[in-house]
Amino acid sequence: MIGLVWNAPVRLMEISVRFELYVEGLRALGMPCLTICPTGTESGYPYPTRAFGSERELVDPNFWRLSGCRAAVFITWHRMTELMAAARLAGLRVLSITDSDGHVSPRLHQWSTFRYMTFLQPTFRGKLGATKHWLDRAIFRASEEHRALVANTAAADITTFGGLGPADEFRHLLRRIGAGELAERVNWLPYPVPHSFCSRELSTGRLDRIIAIGRWNSPQKNAALLASTVRQLSNRGSRSRIVIIGQGAKERFSVLARQVRNVQVLGVQPRERIRDLMAESRTLLLSSRWEGSPIVANEMLALGGTVVGTPIPSISGLVAETAYGRVSSYHNPHSLAAAVSKESDAWDRGERNPQAIAAYWRPLVSPVGVAQRLLALLSLPIVHRA
């Protein structure tokens, strides 16, 4: 049995990395699962759980010895070192899902970490405080943080990232801080997408349509860059229809939709509706400032579409200059619009094949495909194949 460990005060049914998909994939391969989570977060979750009242319980190796698990999978954010060490001391194989883009050192990833810390603050006072905290980390605490990263990586048998790009970035970081021997423990484990995205019939023809999906009231998604990019595309004479979906979309893009006739704003939509819109569109457009690994990109690729996004590790490592999409050279509207235009031209020339794209990505991002890779990383056997 594998233990899937969640250690945050958020209900399992409300998190973006859905544990149900891991359970479904592992069960299909004959591997039972137990989801381990804080008391109260299991409400509505359809699979077996074991709730704990305090994190102190997880630091005790006896907790893991009595769990009945052979292995434990943690979502760690580069934390939970003591918990993983306790599980390994109890004899379990341990896999860490970092949910990170690999740019985690204020000293060595200065702009990435500064942008992340300051853009999340809604007020000038908050940004000033975040700047002071960033400076303190970069100047005085970087060595301490590097030691903590090394200890965290050493505490797990395998440390994973949702994309190839972030995994490469973190391996490079380990080598720079003198822990290159741990680089071999770092690997890629994509986030799974629902079976319905991997089984939907593919459209033989794609509409000349670009789709953008996100929580547009979050600074991470960079609504301003998306709006300016759409205006650039309009000025270039683009005929592609652009559909914007997600929380805050109507508030952020209603003026844009009135001014640019090819833009449609739908706001929050049912998952099935989003899937069908993606399946009939050519390209997913990501304007993000940062992403650990955008699950929506995996969904688009499973549906046979391509991805265009900003030059961040998770996107560039996924599709850069391949048959699956491209990234902009810079985080600005001109560069991102140019990347979109080149991708549209590639579709017009028949250089994009939805069947081939889906055939490559579905085995990688389906629940069973991710479960197979997870078991292989943990050196655990597959009981039976789905």
Side-chain angles (χ1 to χ4, degrees), residues 22 160-163 188-193 293 298 318 361 364-366 369-371 373:
Y22 292 97
T160 68
F161 293 78
W188 174 54
L189 181 69
Y191 291 125
V193 304
S293 178
N298 292 357
L318 192 68
W361 283 100
L364 293 175
V365 301
S366 69
V370 172
R373 183 167 181 80

Side-chain angles (χ1 to χ4, degrees), residues 222-282:
N222 206 345
L225 176 58
L226 178 63
S228 297
T229 299
V230 170
R231 295 184 192 280
Q232 282 271 345
L233 289 168
S234 178
N235 292 339
R236 289 167 174 259
S238 171
R239 297 181 181 179
S240 299
R241 187 162 189 80
I242 299 173
V243 179
I244 305 174
I245 298 172
Q247 188 179 45
K250 292 184 178 179
E251 293 81 357
R252 299 302 297 266
F253 301 110
S254 58
V255 173
L256 178 70
R258 289 195 295 269
Q259 295 174 342
V260 181
R261 61 188 181 90
N262 288 344
V263 174
Q264 181 183 13
V265 179
L266 296 180
V268 177
Q269 296 293 306
R271 192 171 188 82
E272 295 77 13
R273 173 64 172 152
I274 294 174
R275 178 199 62 208
D276 292 341
L277 285 167
M278 292 172 71
E280 296 166 354
S281 301
R282 288 179 168 184

